[in-house]
Amino acid sequence: MKLEQLDDQRWEIAREGGMRVPGIVYASRAMMQELRDEPALGQVANVAHLPGIVRASLAMPDIHWGYGFPIGGVAAVDEAEGVVSPGGVGYDINCGVRLMTTKLVVDELRPRLRALAEALQRDIPAGVGERSRAVGTLDAGETRRVLQNGAAWAVERGFGCAGDLERTEEGGRLEWAEPERVSETALRRGGDQVGTLGSGNHFIEIDRVDEIFDAGRARAFGLFSGQLCLMIHSGSRGLGYQVCDDNLAAMDAAMARYGIAVPDRQLACAPIGSPEGSRYLGAMAAAANFAWANRQTMMGLAQRALARVLAISDAELGAALLWDVCHNIAKRERHVVDGREQPLLVHRKGATRAFGPGAAELPAAYRDVGQPVMIPGDMGRASYVLCGTARAMSDTFGSSCHGAGRVLGRRAALRQAKGRRIDLELRAQGIEVLSRAVKTLAEEMPEAYKDVSQVVDVMHDAGITTKVARLKPVAVVKG
Amino acid sequence: MKIEAPIEYRELDHTADVAIEVDGAVEEEVYARAALALGQMLAGGGPLTQAVERTLEPAGHDRVSQLIGLLRDVLAAFYDERLILSAIDVRLGPPFAATGWFCHWDPARHGEGVDVKAVTYGGARFEPKGGGWSARLIFDI
């Protein structure tokens, strides 16, 4: 593989073999030293083989080894001639992040942080096999209504308010969802999971606004120094996984019929307009709506938990959704390629939409400043609020990174954590951490991730997303 | 040939998820060991009894897709019925099929289990090795 440095933040993987476009990787020199021997770079090249891909196979600086696509990958394909690949979306369809702001100041609540975390852990089920308590088990008909209506389904049931919808990507609902494309197995997997966090790297985190970099945008986003915010990272749970599985198998079997050859079976794909492609996109959009309903429900539960523990009114809490982004999705968007605006299907696998100022898709409150982009880090260091730019629109199909990106495998993390109490180490730093599974804390310890500040700096220096605020975790609930 | 848990398998380094490798003298043994490795991960070291018997008829058009189909059926039993595979008898057929014996998931005894969410095609292999057979898989967790 021929890798050439283009500038301080970008590297090009030259076209060779069956690659239809080059690969472009955003990374600092130090990051690239670590990446050189990783399978992830080969995956960037593999994605460049997809029929209909335009301009480049992109990778953000949180790139790491995924299935088929690397995590942190972006691929836009021509909507008329291109393919859709479930591997370019990932298993956890519409895994994403939402950030809720409040009127509260963290430093006035430090003695209550553990009680707040315990209430969040109690009210929002997390971990293997946990079922929804607040919503219960939905039958297939009601689950289909979730798949059709997305976040609005949760708002109608008293979780959050209508104003939350306009501060959610796509209004919390992809209108081209086709719930009838979702299998009975997927419906069963999701039926008892609305309002559940999941496990692994999913979390609910209470943050303190630690530093403001851009006062104007911070004001527009409702952020102030010292503020208590709440971040939720979760997705479409078992339902999304099943949708991905069902369609990967169908596409794996169908590729030969369409004369498509890809270097990795996990890149299984089908023409967008084919029966297999249409079926997947309809089901994927439905699963995305499920994820928005799930995060909306959890935010509603979190609001109630905070108000109850602190014995304050909703008005005193002042909870407001800043923004909700998805970072595992394929979206129909229009972008300029070779000087011509054209309809594309943009796959973002561990990458966040980051539209710049003026984008018609943004709500009025953010249209002049650009789209908020939330980047969770690890549970010990920081998370960031960024803002999309015009440069993102021209260079990355309006996309940015999605997180810190793992640097240690889970086994390596467990080895490094042996004999340590990660929860006590973090408490000594003023961070309360709760998890039902002891192993999760070791697997998710801060050293297992890249320093999110370095990841964010690459995007900032490249002009793709600019820094608005840094958040520091003060209480974390893991699955 | 019925094979019961616990079995030996190798866990390989992977940045974000879990990769495993299993060997067997014959193909049936590789399928069985891979399926049981998944059961053991879900059980998290908890006890594995044989309380429920199920016939599995996974889809698949070659060794890799049959292997992934089998493990997806094992995972579906966990998500649908909270059942963990504890023993299995694989028949190459045709048709490719298996009889699985499962225990009921118990949060008190299987609480340290790995939350395996999917069996992936990423880097999946099923190939001859040293006179026998070997398979490699990555699980999304």
Side-chain angles (χ1 to χ4, degrees):
Chain A
M1 179 187 301
K2 190 179 164 205
L3 190 67
E4 182 188 350
Q5 186 165 11
L6 298 178
D7 53 36
D8 287 345
Q9 294 86 33
R10 292 184 310 154
W11 305 72
E12 181 176 274
I13 300 171
R15 273 183 69 179
E16 60 181 22
M19 290 172 68
R20 296 165 193 262
V21 292
I24 300 284
V25 181
Y26 285 79
S28 65
R29 178 172 284 278
M31 285 174 180
M32 189 51 77
Q33 292 295 340
E34 301 285 326
L35 270 173
R36 276 185 186 277
D37 299 324
E38 282 283 314
L41 288 186
Q43 292 185 319
V44 177
N46 288 346
V47 170
H49 290 72
L50 290 178
I53 188 168
V54 296
R55 196 188 298 154
S57 163
L58 299 171
M60 302 295 117
D62 48 341
I63 177 176
H64 58 276
W65 186 11
Y67 321 112
F69 272 60
I71 313 295
V74 177
V77 298
D78 182 284
E79 200 163 343
E81 297 171 8
V83 293
V84 58
S85 172
V89 171
Y91 279 100
D92 193 359
I93 295 166
N94 190 4
C95 183
V97 180
R98 67 170 47 199
L99 185 66
M100 182 185 91
T101 57
T102 71
K103 292 179 181 173
L104 306 177
V105 173
V106 167
D107 290 346
E108 295 170 3
L109 298 169
R110 289 239 175 232
R112 313 297 302 280
L113 289 175
R114 186 157 186 95
L116 288 175
E118 286 170 349
L120 292 170
Q121 189 186 43
R122 191 169 50 246
D123 291 2
I124 302 174
V128 183
E130 285 290 329
R131 294 176 157 133
S132 176
R133 291 190 293 273
V135 173
T137 300
L138 305 178
D139 61 25
E142 193 61 24
T143 307
R144 286 197 187 92
R145 278 188 277 283
V146 177
L147 301 178
Q148 191 71 60
N149 298 326
W153 179 92
V155 170
E156 285 165 12
R157 277 146 190 83
F159 299 104
C161 64
D164 296 341
L165 302 180
E166 66 182 50
R167 295 190 176 218
T168 302
E169 194 169 318
E170 302 290 343
R173 173 177 179 261
L174 284 171
E175 62 184 25
W176 35 282
E178 297 180 279
E180 65 275 17
R181 306 282 201 180
V182 174
S183 70
E184 293 294 326
T185 307
L187 292 174
R188 280 199 303 276
R189 278 184 77 169
D192 60 0
Q193 294 187 329
V194 178
T196 65
L197 184 64
S199 62
N201 63 357
H202 291 164
F203 64 79
I204 301 171
E205 184 176 283
I206 299 175
D207 291 300
R208 176 184 182 277
V209 177
D210 179 58
E211 184 169 359
I212 303 276
F213 302 101
D214 181 335
R217 287 192 165 83
R219 203 174 309 114
F221 293 168
L223 294 169
F224 61 86
S225 191
Q227 182 181 21
L228 185 148
C229 297
L230 185 128
M231 187 178 277
I232 297 172
H233 176 215
S234 187
S236 50
R237 311 286 286 109
L239 184 140
Y241 277 81
Q242 193 62 46
V243 166
C244 182
D245 249 359
D246 292 342
N247 287 277
L248 267 176
M251 289 191 187
D252 182 60
M255 273 197 302
R257 199 164 64 246
Y258 295 114
I260 298 171
V262 289
D264 180 342
R265 285 176 80 165
Q266 192 75 20
L267 286 175
C269 55
I272 292 169
S274 68
E276 292 83 3
S278 306
R279 192 177 307 127
Y280 170 68
L281 282 169
M284 182 216 72
N289 291 350
F290 184 92
W292 275 312
N294 187 34
R295 289 197 291 274
Q296 183 68 37
T297 302
M298 284 190 280
M299 190 180 89
L301 291 170
Q303 285 176 25
R304 294 174 194 174
L306 296 185
R308 188 181 70 244
V309 171
L310 299 174
I312 57 175
S313 67
D314 287 347
E316 289 169 313
L317 176 62
L321 179 58
L322 189 155
W323 191 244
D324 179 301
V325 292
C326 36
H327 52 227
N328 279 2
I329 196 84
K331 299 278 285 289
R332 292 183 163 118
E333 296 172 4
R334 297 185 73 84
H335 292 276
V336 176
V337 180
D338 297 331
R340 185 172 63 88
E341 187 181 277
Q342 53 181 286
L344 302 173
L345 185 73
V346 182
H347 297 74
R348 296 191 180 94
K349 161 92 168 280
T352 310
R353 197 186 79 174
F355 280 3
E361 293 84 351
L362 300 183
Y366 300 149
R367 199 165 294 145
D368 289 343
V369 293
Q371 183 204 303
V373 176
M374 283 83 70
I375 307 297
D378 58 71
M379 56 188 175
R381 282 177 282 199
S383 296
Y384 281 83
V385 178
L386 314 177
C387 189
T389 66
R391 185 74 180 267
M393 304 308 284
S394 63
D395 288 13
T396 60
F397 306 105
S399 310
S400 186
C401 58
H402 88 306
R406 284 192 77 92
V407 68
L408 281 185
R410 293 178 191 277
R411 293 176 71 228
L414 287 172
R415 281 195 297 272
Q416 284 202 19
K418 199 167 183 183
R420 293 167 56 186
R421 283 285 303 272
I422 303 299
D423 55 341
L424 297 183
E425 290 178 19
L426 289 166
R427 182 180 286 179
Q429 298 170 39
I431 306 165
E432 296 287 348
V433 179
L434 299 176
S435 175
R436 288 192 206 287
V438 177
K439 216 166 67 171
T440 300
L441 291 184
E443 290 176 346
E444 293 291 313
M445 66 180 182
E447 303 97 298
Y449 286 87
K450 293 177 194 171
D451 183 347
V452 70
S453 298
Q454 293 174 13
V455 172
V456 161
D457 282 346
V458 170
M459 293 278 87
H460 180 89
D461 294 343
I464 302 298
T465 37
T466 57
K467 292 194 285 188
V468 176
R470 182 176 60 222
L471 315 178
K472 289 277 193 181
V474 293
V476 184
V477 178
K478 299 289 285 189
Chain B
M1 171 174 52
K2 180 177 178 181
I3 300 181
E4 300 180 351
I7 52 94
E8 297 278 325
Y9 64 94
R10 289 184 295 284
E11 205 172 302
L12 311 173
D13 276 319
H14 187 283
T15 315
D17 293 297
V18 173
I20 66 156
E21 200 168 65
V22 293
D23 297 331
V26 292
E27 289 177 64
E28 292 93 322
E29 192 180 346
V30 173
Y31 287 114
R33 285 178 175 276
L36 289 169
L38 172 56
Q40 289 171 213
M41 275 189 266
L42 294 168
L48 284 167
T49 58
Q50 296 174 30
V52 177
E53 184 179 322
R54 290 272 188 279
T55 299
L56 306 172
E57 294 171 326
H61 54 275
D62 56 20
R63 289 188 184 93
V64 167
S65 57
Q66 284 177 344
L67 176 66
I68 289 172
L70 175 65
L71 270 64
R72 284 177 174 171
D73 283 358
V74 169
L75 197 55
F78 178 70
Y79 283 111
D80 264 4
E81 303 177 79
R82 300 290 195 271
L83 295 176
I84 302 179
L85 186 75
S86 51
I88 190 166
D89 177 9
V90 174
R91 299 175 294 280
L92 296 183
F96 179 70
T99 303
W101 289 265
F102 297 81
C103 75
H104 293 283
W105 178 73
D106 176 351
R109 297 189 298 172
H110 303 123
E112 285 296 314
V114 179
D115 192 6
V116 177
K117 294 165 186 159
V119 187
T120 80
Y121 275 101
R125 292 184 208 162
F126 195 124
E127 56 199 10
K129 181 184 173 187
W133 291 84
S134 179
R136 183 181 288 195
L137 282 167
I138 300 175
F139 298 110
D140 186 291
I141 63 172

